Amino acid sequence: MRKAMITLLMLTLSRAGITAPVTPPVTHDTMMSNATRIWLAKTVNQAMDFSPEIRVAGADKQAADFDIDRVKGARWPQIQLGTTAPMASFGSGSHTGNNRLDDSSLSLNVTTTLFDWGKNRENIGSATQQANAATYQYDYQQQQIAYSTLSQLIELSRNQQNQKITQAYVKRMRTLVNMLVEITQTDAGRHSELVQARAKLLAAEASLQRVTDQRRQVEITLFRLTGEQVSLPDNFDWTMQPIPTSLVISRVEKHPTWLKAQAEAESAAHDVAAAEASTLPQLNWVIAKSTAKDSYGNPGQWYTGLNIQWNAFTGGTEKAAIQAASARASARQSQFTQTRMDMEYQIHNLSQSRDAAEIQSREYQKLSQETDMVSKIYYEQWLRLGKRTLLDVLTAENDCYNNHIAAVNARHDAYSANVKLVTTASMTFEWFGLRANKGGRN
């Protein structure tokens, strides 16, 4: 009883903003069991095989790779073939070799860029960085699907445990109601106690319905992720080693989101350089040949020479294109910087939340043990000795129930925060010993 009062006093002081020195959280010495890891790997693999998001990211990655080949093709000679087939002639004038009805001709034009101020090089660099960004997006999508599956499994575990605790609470309240029904049959003066017990029973049943609905929502989400019904095996062990915050921070620059933002910023810088190069003269080598005959019936000769192309005036479109590319590059660079700041903030926030949840879980576990004893003592004093009112008993039972629920929630909050930290470190698969079924997924 004394320990329970001390614990309650500590919680009250904490809520009032008066805190005692916080001891470092106790870390687990062992990882989760091998059977749990095998089951998790199977479930995560199922989600990744089923995920349309991963397939979309894979298709985008392939398209970005093909874009590199498309841009690289501009470095090679560009060959154009054409044909002319006259169908009719009209109007005054004499026939020439180019418009006679029986003079179908072919034309060949080969253009090779000799010097373009680095425009092709910058376009290739931009396409390469876009392909890198698509690859990092693909990696991120894999990590995200794995995280979503693990986090929903944690929620399923939370709701299953809460459901069992609430069912036991409902059973306890129903037992008290049935007992009071029998008591009021011989002692009508205690009918008010029956009303109080029924009210608590209704509240307990409402809590059970709420927890059951939450569990069903999680099961629906898991069905959406995996394509099949998921239920946790017996003796499922969520015990996991907390990932050090320093390790997560050291791996920020390896996170797909950060790498994608970096690649997009570099791609935008290449776009600016390409736009600037496009405003300068371009030197080409041209080879041409046409089978069209002149007025004497002789076919055309081969032609080769140098060609200079320069858009001397475009109405300001090229200048606007450079300014737009520069603005996009600035936005991508700002986004890149903001991504790093957001990730570091998230890491510290998650670390603090995880450590606080670990402490709360242990405190609520101790408090639950004490309030279990308090509820039993109050019940005996009410039933046997008459020293307690039914309201005292119901209050103790409700406190005991709330503390058990709080302990489960705090423990699973710590699990969720730790899994999120592992994902932020891009170590989801290796940290939990998971392996994807298909090569190249991790």
Side-chain angles (χ1 to χ4, degrees):
M1 183 67 183
R2 179 173 174 271
K3 293 170 67 176
M5 294 300 295
I6 293 175
T7 306
L8 287 171
L9 179 60
M10 290 176 62
L11 291 175
T12 302
L13 292 174
S14 177
R15 293 191 182 112
I18 305 173
T19 59
V22 179
T23 58
V26 178
T27 58
H28 301 291
D29 294 331
T30 58
M31 292 287 287
M32 60 181 60
S33 65
N34 188 53
T36 298
R37 288 199 304 270
I38 293 174
W39 187 86
L40 284 177
K42 175 180 175 295
T43 306
V44 170
N45 285 332
Q46 173 65 24
M48 295 180 68
D49 290 337
F50 180 75
S51 172
E53 292 87 351
I54 291 181
R55 291 195 293 272
V56 170
D60 289 340
K61 177 180 177 298
Q62 290 181 347
D65 291 337
F66 287 128
D67 281 338
I68 297 178
D69 295 334
R70 175 182 60 82
V71 177
K72 285 182 176 180
R75 299 180 303 176
W76 295 92
Q78 306 297 300
I79 302 176
Q80 294 179 333
L81 294 175
T83 181
T84 302
M87 298 179 62
S89 61
F90 52 89
S92 60
S94 61
H95 290 283
T96 64
N98 294 330
N99 59 11
R100 293 184 305 177
L101 298 182
D102 60 348
D103 188 17
S104 296
S105 62
L106 297 175
S107 62
L108 170 67
N109 188 285
V110 181
T111 303
T112 304
T113 300
L114 297 180
F115 186 71
D116 62 357
W117 304 92
K119 176 182 176 182
N120 283 341
R121 183 183 65 250
E122 298 298 337
N123 285 333
I124 293 172
S126 176
T128 301
Q129 292 301 326
Q130 285 294 334
N132 291 338
T135 300
Y136 297 136
Q137 177 63 27
Y138 179 70
D139 295 339
Y140 168 78
Q141 201 62 60
Q142 292 183 87
Q143 295 276 347
Q144 191 63 27
I145 291 298
Y147 164 72
S148 298
T149 304
L150 291 171
S151 63
Q152 288 302 313
L153 290 173
I154 291 174
E155 290 303 309
L156 181 59
S157 174
R158 180 204 303 267
N159 288 306
Q160 283 186 351
Q161 294 185 30
N162 285 343
Q163 190 177 35
K164 291 180 180 179
I165 295 172
T166 307
Q167 287 173 343
Y169 180 53
V170 169
K171 182 179 179 180
R172 179 62 173 163
M173 292 298 100
R174 188 172 288 119
T175 300
L176 285 175
V177 169
N178 294 336
M179 182 185 300
L180 286 169
V181 168
E182 295 179 359
I183 292 175
T184 54
Q185 290 177 354
T186 58
D187 187 358
R190 301 182 67 178
H191 182 73
S192 61
E193 292 184 337
L194 176 59
V195 173
Q196 293 176 0
R198 282 176 174 170
K200 285 294 183 182
L201 174 60
L202 291 173
E205 291 175 341
S207 297
L208 179 59
Q209 183 62 42
R210 175 179 54 81
V211 173
T212 302
D213 290 341
Q214 290 175 348
R215 175 179 174 176
R216 289 173 180 170
Q217 291 175 2
V218 173
E219 290 174 342
I220 292 173
T221 302
L222 283 170
F223 184 83
R224 158 66 180 82
L225 287 170
T226 63
E228 60 183 24
Q229 296 291 339
V230 177
S231 58
L232 295 177
D234 296 334
N235 301 322
F236 191 80
D237 181 21
W238 266 116
T239 303
M240 67 181 76
Q241 180 181 354
I243 186 170
T245 303
S246 58
L247 176 60
V248 182
I249 293 178
S250 68
R251 290 180 58 90
V252 165
E253 295 182 359
K254 297 182 180 180
H255 193 276
T257 300
W258 191 86
L259 293 173
K260 178 188 175 184
Q262 184 183 37
E264 289 179 341
E266 293 179 3
S267 175
H270 284 296
D271 288 338
V272 174
E276 292 175 346
S278 65
T279 63
L280 301 175
Q282 178 175 309
L283 178 62
N284 302 321
W285 177 29
V286 178
I287 300 175
K289 168 67 174 176
S290 176
T291 63
K293 298 178 182 179
D294 59 16
S295 57
Y296 299 102
N298 298 318
Q301 295 179 328
W302 284 92
Y303 163 82
T304 182
L306 297 179
N307 171 261
I308 296 179
Q309 291 182 344
W310 181 31
N311 296 324
F313 179 75
T314 60
T317 57
E318 291 183 341
K319 181 180 179 181
I322 294 174
Q323 291 175 337
S326 299
R328 292 190 186 95
S330 177
R332 294 293 181 270
Q333 186 63 39
S334 299
Q335 184 179 10
F336 170 61
T337 304
Q338 185 65 38
T339 298
R340 176 62 181 260
M341 294 173 57
D342 290 344
M343 291 183 67
E344 290 183 350
Y345 167 78
Q346 184 184 44
I347 290 170
H348 291 296
N349 190 31
L350 286 170
S351 298
Q352 183 177 359
S353 298
R354 180 193 62 187
D355 296 344
E358 286 278 359
I359 295 174
Q360 291 178 3
S361 175
R362 292 194 298 273
E363 293 298 329
Y364 275 118
Q365 188 65 35
K366 296 176 183 178
L367 185 58
S368 298
Q369 296 174 358
E370 297 295 334
T371 51
D372 280 342
M373 297 176 59
V374 171
S375 64
K376 292 177 182 178
I377 292 172
Y378 278 19
Y379 175 76
E380 292 295 330
Q381 291 179 345
W382 167 72
L383 183 64
R384 308 296 181 188
L385 304 177
K387 291 184 178 181
R388 296 289 178 181
T389 65
L390 179 64
L391 181 60
D392 293 334
V393 175
L394 295 177
T395 301
E397 291 286 349
N398 188 68
D399 290 343
C400 181
Y401 165 72
N402 289 333
N403 290 332
H404 278 292
I405 293 293
V408 170
N409 288 337
R411 185 163 59 251
H412 285 79
D413 286 344
Y415 295 156
S416 297
N418 195 57
V419 170
K420 183 62 176 177
L421 282 170
V422 171
T423 303
T424 304
S426 302
M427 298 178 64
T428 305
F429 295 100
E430 52 265 51
W431 190 263
F432 292 101
L434 308 179
R435 290 295 180 270
N437 286 331
K438 296 181 179 181
R441 280 201 162 181
N442 184 41

